[in-house]
Amino acid sequence: MKRLDWNALDETARREALARPAQARADELKQGVAVIIGQVRAHGDAALRELSAKYDRCALDAIEVTAAEFDAAEASLDEALKAAIREAASRIDTYHRASQPTPVGVDTAPGVRVERMLRPITRVGLYVPAGTAPLPSTALMLGVPAAIAGCREVVLCSPARADGRCDEAVLYAARITGVHRVFKLGGAQAIAAMAYGTDSVPKCEKLFGPGNAWVTEAKLQVSGDPEGAAIDMPAGPSEVLVIADDGANPAFVAADLLSQAEHGPDSQVVLLSPSAALLDAVAAEVQRQVATLPRSETAFKALAQSRLIAVDSLTQAVEVSNRYAPEHLIIQTAEPRALLDGIESAGSIFLGSWTPESVGDYCSGSNHVLPTYGYARSYSGVSVASFVKQISVQEVSAEGLRNIGPCTVTLAAAEQLEAHRRAVSMRLDALEGRA
């Protein structure tokens, strides 16, 4: 990891210090994804089978997972794993149910009622990666809030293995969260299928979930097409920023940094600390621990573009963190909550020595589908609100129109929208017998 002193850097160097690894949106990638989307739109299921054979090296007879396959997957899993999946789902349900948006009704003036009603998005598409490692936790993070929202149809795509079957734990997680249909599809072709529909895969109105550069690019392309589908958020590689003081445990800090570095070679991890001794100790711990990881080669590549940054205070660490806007923010200080009010931008925050980011990935109850690549400045993580539409309703009585009509008339006239003005003024005239 590169060692830097924030206060020794000029503005250009500071921007470079917080720069993410370049996302793979080269022209070749964009064009390749566009070709795949075009193939799926033109040839439907036939294209999906051809692309699955090419990229996932599997021959698909049936694209959709059958009830028998769900049963076989459940029967094959260790009982301890199934219990852990159910336990995690329960906590995710508890948190998301408590934090879901609620209907609102308020009188903004006598005779003027304004309400907010909630309606679930009718059909949603969930994407669960299974490249270097299948992610049943992602099925939970997406399936639980979709079920709470009441989406009428929840579709899930996850790549099949060479034997033509999806990961058993992913299928079990999908089943217990109430996902309605699962398809053995991965990559950009899965996104295209859910965005536009085929004979087998229904067209979805909004797509959710992380993925590799091809999946990310496909989501961006279909979200920019009026005939495509909305998406949960823009995304980039996984990342974590840790703020730590001289009392932090260097082994814990190093483990938290490596938990994100092992995600992929384009992941990035950052440590901010006013303690030179802590920075030294963490650097040594990272080198010691990374050598023992099964995914050490991946982690080493991520560490090459990661940072250890010295700051002059925890206050400055918060300022730098807000500028970076991390996907995951871990605060390992003597009084972590004392810094919380200063945090403006982060996907998810983890307070104290006993709160590793890993618990949020799996079973604390929060969601791990979060904005990355600086998008935490303007986006939130997935929640029940992501799966619902919030529709405003207003009802105005005659008394209410007398109260707010003149305001409307004045503002419409100022904007030179005469039809807007007349729609109100003629009603006011009618109320006063002037019509």
Side-chain angles (χ1 to χ4, degrees), residues 132 258 260-267 286-287 289-306:
T132 57
L258 290 171
Q260 294 307 296
E262 74 173 353
H263 264 295
D266 53 358
S267 294
V286 166
Q287 292 305 309
Q289 293 183 30
V290 69
T292 68
L293 292 176
R295 295 169 64 88
S296 61
E297 183 178 352
T298 297
F300 271 122
K301 291 178 181 178
L303 291 173
Q305 51 204 6
S306 297

Side-chain angles (χ1 to χ4, degrees), residues 13-42:
R14 287 180 172 184
R15 284 196 299 270
E16 291 175 354
L18 299 183
R20 267 82 171 182
Q23 278 188 283
R25 287 202 71 198
D27 288 341
E28 183 179 351
L29 173 66
K30 293 180 186 179
Q31 293 168 6
V33 169
V35 167
I36 289 173
I37 292 173
Q39 288 176 307
V40 174
R41 295 190 72 178

Side-chain angles (χ1 to χ4, degrees), residues 165-181:
R165 294 181 178 273
C166 286
D167 178 76
E168 288 79 6
V170 169
L171 293 185
Y172 182 69
R175 169 173 270 187
I176 68 166
T177 57
V179 170
H180 298 105
R181 303 178 70 183

Side-chain angles (χ1 to χ4, degrees), residues 338-360:
L339 304 185
L340 200 54
D341 285 347
I343 303 300
E344 297 172 352
S345 298
S348 190
I349 302 172
F350 304 80
L351 300 178
S353 298
W354 309 110
T355 316
E357 184 276 332
S358 305
V359 299

Side-chain angles (χ1 to χ4, degrees), residues 13-318:
R14 287 180 172 184
R15 284 196 299 270
E16 291 175 354
L18 299 183
R20 267 82 171 182
Q23 278 188 283
R25 287 202 71 198
D27 288 341
E28 183 179 351
L29 173 66
K30 293 180 186 179
Q31 293 168 6
V33 169
V35 167
I36 289 173
I37 292 173
Q39 288 176 307
V40 174
R41 295 190 72 178
H43 304 293
D45 288 353
L48 295 177
R49 289 188 171 90
E50 180 181 336
L51 291 165
S52 294
K54 179 178 180 180
Y55 292 111
D56 297 324
R57 295 179 176 83
C58 65
L60 294 179
D61 295 326
I63 294 174
E64 185 168 2
V65 176
T66 66
E69 287 175 299
F70 275 109
D71 292 340
E74 182 172 348
S76 71
L77 290 178
D78 180 78
E79 288 300 326
L81 175 56
K82 289 191 286 189
I85 290 173
R86 293 193 301 270
E87 179 184 338
S90 175
R91 274 196 286 273
I92 295 166
D93 182 272
T94 296
Y95 172 75
H96 285 73
R97 198 171 292 279
S99 60
Q100 66 183 304
T102 57
V104 172
V106 62
D107 293 331
T108 61
V112 180
R113 184 71 173 173
V114 182
E115 302 172 4
R116 178 181 70 187
M117 66 180 189
L118 306 176
R119 294 292 184 269
I121 298 173
T122 304
R123 183 186 290 129
V124 296
L126 317 180
Y127 185 79
V128 176
T132 57
L135 299 177
S137 57
T138 298
L140 297 178
M141 297 293 172
L142 299 175
V144 169
I148 294 171
C151 298
R152 190 177 306 162
E153 187 169 8
V154 181
V155 173
L156 186 150
C157 285
S158 192
R161 299 180 302 240
D163 64 3
R165 294 181 178 273
C166 286
D167 178 76
E168 288 79 6
V170 169
L171 293 185
Y172 182 69
R175 169 173 270 187
I176 68 166
T177 57
V179 170
H180 298 105
R181 303 178 70 183
V182 175
F183 296 89
K184 308 172 193 178
L185 299 170
Q189 59 269 28
I191 301 301
M194 292 190 288
Y196 298 103
T198 70
D199 287 343
S200 296
V201 184
K203 175 178 171 57
C204 300
E205 292 153 341
K206 189 173 182 179
L207 308 183
F208 298 79
N212 62 18
W214 289 77
V215 170
T216 298
E217 176 62 26
K219 287 176 67 178
L220 291 171
Q221 289 192 21
V222 302
S223 69
D225 181 358
E227 296 182 7
I231 62 172
D232 47 4
M233 67 190 81
S238 188
E239 63 198 25
V240 67
L241 185 146
V242 180
I243 296 174
D245 61 14
D246 56 5
N249 185 320
F252 290 179
V253 175
D256 288 337
L257 295 172
L258 290 171
S259 71
Q260 294 307 296
E262 74 173 353
H263 264 295
D266 53 358
S267 294
Q268 188 175 61
V269 301
V270 178
L271 171 60
L272 305 175
S273 180
S275 169
L278 186 280
L279 292 171
D280 290 340
V282 170
E285 271 293 327
V286 166
Q287 292 305 309
R288 184 186 69 79
Q289 293 183 30
V290 69
T292 68
L293 292 176
R295 295 169 64 88
S296 61
E297 183 178 352
T298 297
F300 271 122
K301 291 178 181 178
L303 291 173
Q305 51 204 6
S306 297
R307 307 284 186 265
L308 299 167
I309 301 178
V311 292
D312 64 12
S313 66
L314 292 178
T315 298
Q316 187 175 61
V318 169

